Amino acid sequence: MSQLPVASATAMSGDMDKPLISRRLVDSDGSLAEVPSKAPKVGILGSGDFARSLATRLVNSGFSVVVGSRNPKRTAGLFPSAAHVTFQEEAVSSPQVVFVAVFREHYSSLCSLGDQLAGKILVDVSNPTEKEHLQNHQSNAEYLASLFPACTVVKAFNVISAWALQAGPRDGNRQVLICSDQLEAKHTISEMARTMGFTPLDMGSLASAREIEAIPLRLFPSWKVPILLALGLFVCFYAYNFIRDVLQPYMRKHENKFYKVPLSVVNTTLPCVAYVLLSLVYLPGVLAAALQLRRGTKYQRFPDWLDHWLQHRKQIGLLSFFFGVLHALYSFCLPLRRSHRYDLVNLAVKQVLANKSRLWVEEEVWRMEIYLSMGVLALGVLSLLAVTSLPSIANSLNWKEFSFVQSTLGFVALMLSTLHTLTYGWTRAFEENHYKFYLPPTFTLTLLLPCVIILAKGLFLLPCLSRRLTKIRRGWEKDGAVKFMLPADHMQGEKTSHV
C-alpha cells in the first residue's frame, strides 16, 4: 500500500497554532474560529492522518478547507472545527485546488468525480512503498494524471512530514518539492506553500515526480558509508583489544579475563574509534590542500573518492562524538563493577601485608588529573561541534562563525584528544610488558594518524606554504594560464588562454 506521512497524536499549541494570514484568535479549546467566507477555498480528498494534519495547517494559514470523506459523520470530529467535512462530491465542487490524500490503489475510486474535477489542480501528496516504487515504472502523480487527463496534476508536500504540517514549519523540514507540467499550477501551489510558512522548490516537470517520491524511501543515504566505516573500525579495534587484554593472559598465564568482554574491552575500543573518526574528519582537508599545492591550481577536480570523503565529514564527525559520549558513559560505569570492588579490596590487603601505611605515587596522580581534564575538554568541544552542525543552529551563524567552530575548534578538539591519549599512554609505549603477543598498545596505533595530521597542519602554517595555498585558493595558478584541450579532429595540439 502507498505510504502517507504519519500525524502526531496531539496538535501543538503556541504561536504556530495561530493563523498566518487571518490573524484570528484561537478558541479556548485550541481550535480556530470560523474562517472568513472570502478566504481562498481548498479541497482535500481523504480523511487519514496526513489529511488531518494538512487541514490543520491550511486552516491555521487562513484558507477555507472542505474535506471530502466517504463517511463524513464519523470523521468530522477528527478535523479542525473550521474545516467543513462533507461527501467527496460536494467537497470538489467549488475549490480550484484539491489535495488528493489517498493511497494509490484508491485513485480509481475517484474516477466518478472526473467531470467535477475537470480543469482543477490536483495536488498529489502520496508516497509509494519500496515494493511499489520498484514494481511501478510510473510515479503516483503520473498515474493520477493518466486517470484525470482534464486536470492539472502537481506533485507536492510528499516530503513534508505530518508533524511539520501540524506543528508548524519551524519544527520540521521547510522545503516543499514541487513538480508539474504546467507553470501556472506550480506557481499557485508555490504561493500556497509560502503562505503556509514553507519554502517551495521547483523540481521541473511531472516526470520528476518519481525521483521526488523516492526521497522519503531513502534511509540515511549519506550515513551508509560513515556507519560502515565506524562499524569496521569498532570490529577491528575490539578484536585487537580482545587478543591483548583477554586472550593473551588466558594463554600465557592461565588467567580468566573473559569477564572484561562486555564492558572493559568495549570501553577500551570506543575511544579508539572516536579518535580515529575525528582524525578522518580533518585528513581529507589536508590531502586536498596538498593536492592543490602539488597541482598549483584549484581549478582541477579532486578524485571522486576524495570528493565523497569531503562530503561525508559531517556524518563522520557526529559518529566520532557519539562514540566519545559512549566512552564517557562506559567510564562512569567502571567503578560500579563487582570486579573493580574486588580489585580495590585485594589492593588494600596487599598494602596491609606489605606494611605500607600510605600508597601515593605523585607521577600517577598528576597523570590521571591531566588525562581526565583533557578528556572532558575534548568531549566539551566535540559537543559544541555537534550542536553547531544542526541545521537550525548552523543557519543562525554566518560563514566566518561556522568556519571558526567547525575548522578551528575542530582542530582544537583533535589536539585535546591527542593530549588525552598521550597522558593515558604516558611511558607505557616504552615498557616491554605492555607489548602482549608482541602487539603494541592500542593507543600507539591510534596516535599515528592524528600526529600526521597535526604535523601537516603545522607545515601548512609555514609562510612559504601558507601564502602559496592562500594564493591558489584565491584563483592564482602555477603556470599563470588555463589550458584547454580541444578534440583531435579540430586541433591536434594544445591551445593556451592566458587569464
Side-chain angles (χ1 to χ4, degrees), residues 245-297:
D245 299 340
V246 178
L247 198 58
Q248 193 269 351
Y250 181 77
M251 296 183 66
R252 290 290 176 86
K253 304 177 183 178
H254 302 288
E255 296 179 357
N256 188 351
K257 300 284 187 179
F258 285 92
Y259 66 88
K260 291 185 174 182
V261 169
L263 190 67
S264 294
V265 179
V266 173
N267 190 49
T268 307
T269 304
L270 290 173
C272 300
V273 179
Y275 191 30
V276 172
L277 286 176
L278 183 61
S279 304
L280 293 176
V281 173
Y282 296 96
L283 179 58
V286 171
L287 296 177
L291 201 58
Q292 288 179 336
L293 285 172
R294 182 177 179 273
R295 292 173 173 177
T297 179

Side-chain angles (χ1 to χ4, degrees), residues 205-463:
S205 66
L206 199 62
S208 304
R210 182 171 173 81
E211 180 184 350
I212 296 175
E213 290 175 3
I215 293 176
L217 300 177
R218 298 169 186 166
L219 182 63
F220 304 117
S222 60
W223 286 84
K224 183 178 180 180
V225 173
I227 288 176
L228 290 176
L229 173 64
L231 289 177
L233 287 173
F234 182 85
V235 170
C236 292
F237 279 116
Y238 187 88
Y240 190 87
N241 290 322
F242 175 80
I243 293 172
R244 281 178 43 83
D245 299 340
V246 178
L247 198 58
Q248 193 269 351
Y250 181 77
M251 296 183 66
R252 290 290 176 86
K253 304 177 183 178
H254 302 288
E255 296 179 357
N256 188 351
K257 300 284 187 179
F258 285 92
Y259 66 88
K260 291 185 174 182
V261 169
L263 190 67
S264 294
V265 179
V266 173
N267 190 49
T268 307
T269 304
L270 290 173
C272 300
V273 179
Y275 191 30
V276 172
L277 286 176
L278 183 61
S279 304
L280 293 176
V281 173
Y282 296 96
L283 179 58
V286 171
L287 296 177
L291 201 58
Q292 288 179 336
L293 285 172
R294 182 177 179 273
R295 292 173 173 177
T297 179
K298 70 171 185 177
Y299 296 111
Q300 292 186 27
R301 283 182 56 86
F302 294 131
D304 289 340
W305 60 269
L306 181 56
D307 190 47
H308 291 148
W309 192 351
L310 289 166
Q311 294 175 16
H312 285 99
R313 287 181 297 176
K314 174 182 175 180
Q315 289 79 12
I316 296 174
L318 289 174
L319 287 174
S320 172
F321 172 69
F322 171 73
F323 280 95
V325 171
L326 284 183
H327 172 53
L329 295 176
Y330 268 77
S331 297
F332 279 121
C333 296
L334 290 179
L336 302 178
R337 298 175 304 158
R338 183 67 64 179
S339 59
H340 179 74
R341 299 177 185 179
Y342 289 154
D343 287 339
L344 288 178
V345 172
N346 291 333
L347 181 62
V349 171
K350 288 181 180 179
Q351 186 177 353
V352 170
L353 294 177
N355 292 324
K356 294 182 179 179
S357 59
R358 185 170 182 266
L359 182 62
W360 182 276
V361 180
E362 189 74 19
E363 181 181 336
E364 282 296 304
V365 171
W366 275 98
R367 183 183 72 85
M368 286 301 298
E369 294 289 326
I370 299 173
Y371 160 70
L372 292 174
S373 179
M374 293 296 105
V376 172
L377 288 174
L379 186 60
V381 177
L382 278 177
S383 302
L384 185 60
L385 293 173
V387 169
T388 54
S389 67
L390 299 174
S392 57
I393 304 299
N395 292 337
S396 65
L397 303 175
N398 60 40
W399 170 247
K400 188 173 183 179
E401 293 168 340
F402 182 79
S403 178
F404 172 78
V405 172
Q406 294 294 324
S407 180
T408 306
L409 290 187
F411 187 69
V412 170
L414 183 63
M415 290 288 294
L416 291 172
S417 300
T418 303
L419 292 175
H420 176 67
T421 306
L422 288 172
T423 51
Y424 169 79
W426 210 249
T427 59
R428 298 179 187 180
F430 310 104
E431 297 174 3
E432 185 179 351
N433 61 321
H434 286 97
Y435 285 77
K436 301 175 181 179
F437 279 150
Y438 303 102
L439 298 175
T442 315
F443 72 89
T444 59
L445 301 180
T446 61
L447 278 169
L448 295 176
L449 191 58
C451 288
V452 170
I453 295 172
I454 293 172
L455 179 61
K457 286 278 190 178
L459 291 175
F460 290 152
L461 292 177
L462 295 175

Side-chain angles (χ1 to χ4, degrees), residues 88-129:
Q88 292 179 342
E89 293 79 4
E90 184 182 348
V92 301
S93 59
S94 55
Q96 287 301 309
V97 177
V98 178
F99 285 84
V100 181
V102 298
F103 296 109
R104 176 180 176 133
E105 57 264 31
H106 300 312
Y107 286 174
S108 57
S109 66
L110 304 176
C111 290
S112 59
L113 306 174
D115 293 337
Q116 294 170 280
L117 291 172
K120 299 182 184 294
I121 298 175
L122 300 184
V123 184
D124 177 40
V125 299
S126 68
N127 286 318
T129 61

